């Protein structure tokens, strides 16, 4: 079966659209991607078909009946619609519609082929900007075409209405042919679809990187980032040019999840590395692309995560309209809401957080609708205080039914927060939660080896919500349930535990490993992170980190100390070059190809009470699951935790 987006056709689709969806879904193999786009703002619904050995084809679906066509030429069709009761005339001119009472309603629309051609011309200009998709002369390396289906008009009826000769013979599919497609084999259907192409380019099998790049250009909401192309990005024998980039995108599963999330309040649970943040970003971009006038806000707890997400959206050169999406950490948003002066007045109070939120709630309840939001999306919600969610609900234009998306993972909760229910903070959670239904218990970020090492740290921690089974309990009583990772889809290197004598030796060992990683894996420096636990840095620890930054710099390894100051954290961006250096808890929500964790012994103390020990373990779990491919952990001195990691069998041990 083809990979369909969405995975089922909406109930409002016409019978012709349902028939075509079913045929494409069942007849095409799973190396075909097919997207169905319903009618939007007067445009005809269309299907986009993409495959490595096929090319890119767009098919519009016209659901007009023969008696609806008033007149037609090569460019436009005048279509008559009947309404029950009063008849009206609707004329569309230069994007505007006027209505007159007293006669049938008509609509002037582009011909089905003309609409496809306009869309494809715009798309062609975008596709040609990526060298990975073009020949040296600038032409695409794959065929691209458009066609149309007349789902309610037969060939004979098209001739009778004098429209058959206006439209291309091979580009058009009339009703009787569409119905016959149910009886075609896969090969026969593919051959018929290929005849729609007017540009008969030879098909050179596209690579996975080329397919992803095409997907990211067509649907910018699923694009994650641009990456340098590698030799595997192009077919064998093709010379890769300098400064050639590919687009990394959500996979089919993640895209379907993002599009399937319904309106209203929605709670998304998932394990580390399941793509929750990517889905959240896709959802925000998708909502904006549906309506560019929507006011959308993304909230999170950490300043560094807010800066990271903001840079992804606001520094996207291909989609400058994503700057319309507001991205803030919660404190900055509240300060912005009540005003800096008022916020600073309250900072000295013991329970200032509650007073600040109370002020913010009062302010939000009196805000005019224009300053409220159509959608609010909360990332890493397990870090939020309960009463913060009341502010999120109050900031919506429609508090009861507005788009509120809350994303969390109970096992990444290392801040002490009071228990609560969604109902108590005004969030409608019943029947609106998403977990295993969308396979968010599968880890796509980490290798199996990294996940096994990380999960062993926290699998036996008893959390308040852990006894609650999310599948069998009223979800309004569950805030952040624990979901165990079912699997990691990738295999790789075992994590390495470096055991040394002093913290200074940890730094030296980490520097050597950074050099090896850069040489052996060839990844960009910004894809490497050095994490440390020290929250309130003592002078000795700060000196060690200063030494680390200067030593790396002297070796020609640029670096950015994200959590050196609050200002450096605020200015953080995905586009700043260099190795990232930051605290483990500020890395929440981020990911890197390689992660090096300093001072693992700091994550355990025999003097700490059991609840604090659990929180520290969760913090180390979060740090370890930031690593996509390579993980190095450094420890010194005598520590129960170092001994535990050493005996777990999950690490390659190096004594230095």
């Amino acid at each position: 079966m083809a990979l369909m987006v969405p995975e089922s056709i909406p109930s409002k689709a016409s019978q012709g659209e349902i028939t075509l969806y079913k045929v494409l879904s069942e007849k095409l193999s799973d190396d075909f991607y097919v997207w169905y786009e319903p009618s939007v703002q007067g445009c005809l619904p269309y299907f986009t078909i993409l495959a490595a050995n096929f090319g890119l084809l767009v098919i519009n679906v016209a659901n007009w009946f023969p008696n609806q066509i008033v007149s037609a030429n090569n460019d436009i069709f005048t279509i008559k619609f009947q309404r029950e009761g009063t008849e009206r005339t609707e004329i569309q001119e230069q994007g505007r519609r006027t209505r007159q009472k007293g006669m049938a309603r008509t609509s002037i629309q582009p011909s089905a082929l003309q609409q496809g051609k306009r869309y494809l011309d715009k798309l062609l200009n975008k596709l040609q900007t990526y060298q990975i998709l073009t020949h040296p002369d600038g032409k695409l390396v794959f065929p691209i075409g458009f066609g149309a289906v007349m789902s309610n008009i037969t060939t004979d009826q098209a001739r009778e209405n004098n429209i058959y000769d206006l439209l291309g013979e091979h580009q058009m599919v009339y009703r009787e042919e569409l119905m016959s497609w149910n009886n075609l084999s896969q090969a026969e259907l593919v051959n018929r679809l290929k005849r729609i192409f007017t540009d008969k380019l030879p098909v050179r099998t596209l690579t996975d990187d080329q397919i992803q790049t095409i997907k990211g250009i067509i649907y910018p909401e699923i694009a994650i980032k641009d990456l340098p192309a590698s030799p595997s990005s192009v077919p064998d024998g093709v010379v890769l040019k300098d400064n050639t980039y590919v687009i990394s995108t959500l996979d089919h599963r993640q895209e379907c999840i993002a599009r399937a999330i319904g309106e209203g309040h929605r709670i998304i649970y998932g394990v580390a590395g399941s793509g929750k943040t990517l889905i959240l970003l896709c959802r925000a971009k998708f909502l904006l692309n549906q309506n560019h006038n929507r006011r959308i806000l993304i909230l999170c707890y950490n300043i560094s995560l807010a800066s990271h997400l903001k840079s992804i959206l606001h520094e996207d050169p291909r989609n400058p309209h994503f700057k319309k999406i507001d991205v803030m950490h919660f404190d900055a948003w509240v300060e912005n809401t009540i005003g800096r002066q008022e916020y600073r007045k309250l900072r000295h109070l013991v329970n200032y957080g509650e007073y600040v939120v109370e002020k913010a709630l009062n302010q939000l309840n009196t805000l005019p609708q224009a300053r409220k939001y159509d959608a609010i999306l909360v990332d890493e919600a397990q870090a939020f205080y309960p009463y913060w969610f009341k502010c999120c609900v109050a900031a919506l234009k429609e508090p009861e039914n507005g788009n509120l998306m809350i994303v969390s993972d109970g096992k990444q909760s290392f801040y002490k927060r009071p228990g609560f229910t969604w109902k108590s903070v005004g969030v409608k959670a019943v029947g609106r939660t998403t977990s295993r239904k969308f396979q968010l218990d599968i880890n796509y970020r980490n290798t199996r080896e990294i996940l096994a090492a990380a999960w062993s740290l926290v699998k036996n921690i008893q959390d308040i919500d852990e006894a609650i089974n999310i599948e069998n309990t009223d979800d309004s009583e569950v805030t952040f349930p624990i979901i165990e990772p079912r699997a990691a889809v990738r295999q790789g290197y075992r994590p390495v535990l470096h055991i040394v004598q002093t913290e200074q030796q940890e730094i030296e060992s980490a520097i050597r490993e950074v050099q090896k990683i850069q040489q052996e894996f060839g990844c960009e420096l910004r894809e490497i992170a050095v994490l440390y636990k020290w929250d309130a840095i003592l002078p000795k620890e700060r000196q060690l980190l200063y030494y680390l930054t200067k030593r790396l710099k002297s070796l020609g390894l640029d670096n950015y100390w994200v959590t050196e100051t609050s200002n450096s954290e605020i200015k953080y961006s995905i586009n700043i070059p260099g190795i990232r250096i930051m605290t483990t808890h500020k890395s929440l929500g981020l990911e890197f190809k390689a992660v090096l964790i300093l001072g693992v012994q700091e994550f355990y103390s025999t003097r700490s009470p059991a609840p604090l020990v659990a929180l520290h373990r969760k913090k180390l779990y979060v740090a370890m699951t930031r690593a996509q491919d390579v993980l190095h952990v450094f420890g010194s001195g005598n520590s129960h935790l170092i001994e535990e990691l050493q005996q777990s069998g999950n690490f390659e041990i190096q004594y230095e």
Side-chain angles (χ1 to χ4, degrees), residues 531 584 587 595 597 603 618-627 631:
L531 308 181
T584 54
S587 70
V595 169
I597 302 173
F603 290 89
K618 285 185 177 183
K619 196 174 288 190
L620 182 55
Y621 167 75
V622 167
M624 291 170 68
T625 54
R626 300 310 94 196
L631 175 63

Side-chain angles (χ1 to χ4, degrees), residues 166-321:
L166 297 174
L167 306 169
E169 182 179 354
H170 296 301
Q171 289 179 277
M172 292 302 301
V173 178
Y174 293 97
R175 178 173 174 77
E176 75 275 15
E177 183 183 1
L178 173 63
M179 302 310 292
S180 73
W181 283 5
N182 286 303
N183 301 317
L184 296 182
S185 67
Q186 176 186 318
E188 289 171 334
L189 177 60
V190 171
N191 285 334
R192 173 61 184 99
L193 294 174
K194 284 182 176 179
R195 293 209 310 273
I196 295 176
F197 290 103
T198 55
D199 190 356
K200 306 296 183 182
L201 290 175
V203 181
R204 172 181 280 172
T205 302
L206 296 170
T207 66
D208 287 342
D209 280 352
Q210 288 174 318
I211 289 287
Q212 280 205 66
T213 301
I214 296 167
K215 286 169 58 178
I217 292 169
I218 300 173
Y219 299 106
E221 59 266 21
I222 70 171
I224 299 172
K225 57 185 174 181
D226 283 10
L227 297 172
S230 67
S232 64
S233 299
V234 291
D236 292 341
V238 175
V239 178
L240 194 64
K241 296 179 181 178
D242 293 337
N243 299 317
T244 301
Y245 287 85
V246 299
I247 302 177
S248 169
T249 67
L250 297 184
D251 64 18
H252 175 256
R253 177 197 66 93
Q254 293 168 329
E255 181 183 359
C256 286
I257 292 172
R259 289 180 182 270
I261 295 168
E263 301 289 314
H265 299 187
R266 299 287 161 176
I267 318 295
I268 312 293
Y269 302 126
V271 300
S274 59
K276 300 184 303 298
T277 297
L278 296 177
I279 290 167
L280 178 143
L281 287 172
C282 177
R283 180 66 180 167
K285 292 186 280 188
F286 180 69
L287 289 171
L288 185 66
N289 282 344
Q290 278 186 324
N291 182 350
H292 283 193
N293 293 319
R294 274 183 170 143
R295 292 201 73 217
I296 299 172
L297 171 66
I298 294 176
L299 285 175
C300 58
Y301 181 76
N302 281 342
I303 298 173
S304 52
L305 179 56
S307 300
H308 172 79
L309 299 179
K310 186 175 182 178
S311 64
I312 289 174
L313 293 169
H314 293 196
E315 297 175 27
D316 184 343
R318 295 189 309 275
N319 301 285
H321 62 287

Side-chain angles (χ1 to χ4, degrees), residues 445-454 488-498 513 516-523 592-595 624 627-633 649-654:
R445 176 194 301 144
N446 313 124
T447 61
R448 293 170 194 163
E449 292 78 3
I450 290 172
L451 181 60
V489 299
R490 298 187 303 116
Q491 196 164 357
Y493 301 94
R494 290 179 74 198
V496 181
L497 174 62
H498 302 258
E513 290 305 325
K516 289 180 187 176
I517 290 167
Q518 215 241 340
Q519 290 168 3
E520 293 177 13
F521 293 92
C523 52
F592 308 91
K593 281 197 175 297
V595 169
M624 291 170 68
Q628 294 173 312
D629 299 305
V630 180
L631 175 63
H632 289 265
V633 178
N650 291 314
F651 291 85
E652 177 187 326
I653 311 300
Q654 289 190 9

Side-chain angles (χ1 to χ4, degrees), residues 58-101:
V58 176
I59 300 179
N60 283 326
V61 181
N63 296 305
W64 311 319
F65 288 90
N67 61 359
Q68 289 182 273
I69 300 174
V70 177
S71 63
N73 60 36
N74 289 321
D75 296 325
I76 62 172
F77 277 51
T78 302
I79 306 299
K80 178 176 65 177
F81 295 93
Q82 288 286 352
R83 283 188 173 181
E84 294 182 6
T86 306
E87 294 180 335
R88 297 172 182 262
T89 296
E90 182 174 302
I91 302 174
Q92 181 172 307
E93 295 176 349
Q94 296 181 346
R96 299 180 61 187
R97 290 182 176 180
T98 60
R99 294 184 180 182
Q100 299 174 355
K101 294 183 180 180

Side-chain angles (χ1 to χ4, degrees), residues 293 295 369-374 393-399:
N293 293 319
R295 292 201 73 217
Q369 283 290 95
R371 290 186 57 194
K372 292 193 175 187
Y373 288 94
D374 297 284
V393 174
L396 288 169
K397 289 179 180 177
E398 297 182 30

Side-chain angles (χ1 to χ4, degrees), residues 331 334-363 387:
D331 277 341
V334 168
E335 181 179 346
N336 187 60
T337 300
I338 67 175
R340 180 173 290 185
Q341 266 190 321
E342 187 66 25
Y343 183 82
R344 288 182 173 177
K345 271 190 213 175
L346 298 169
R347 289 287 300 196
H348 70 281
L349 299 175
V350 175
N351 294 323
Y352 86 92
E354 293 183 29
Y355 286 111
V356 164
V357 169
E358 187 178 343
K359 285 275 186 184
L361 273 172
N362 292 335
Q363 186 71 23
Y387 43 85

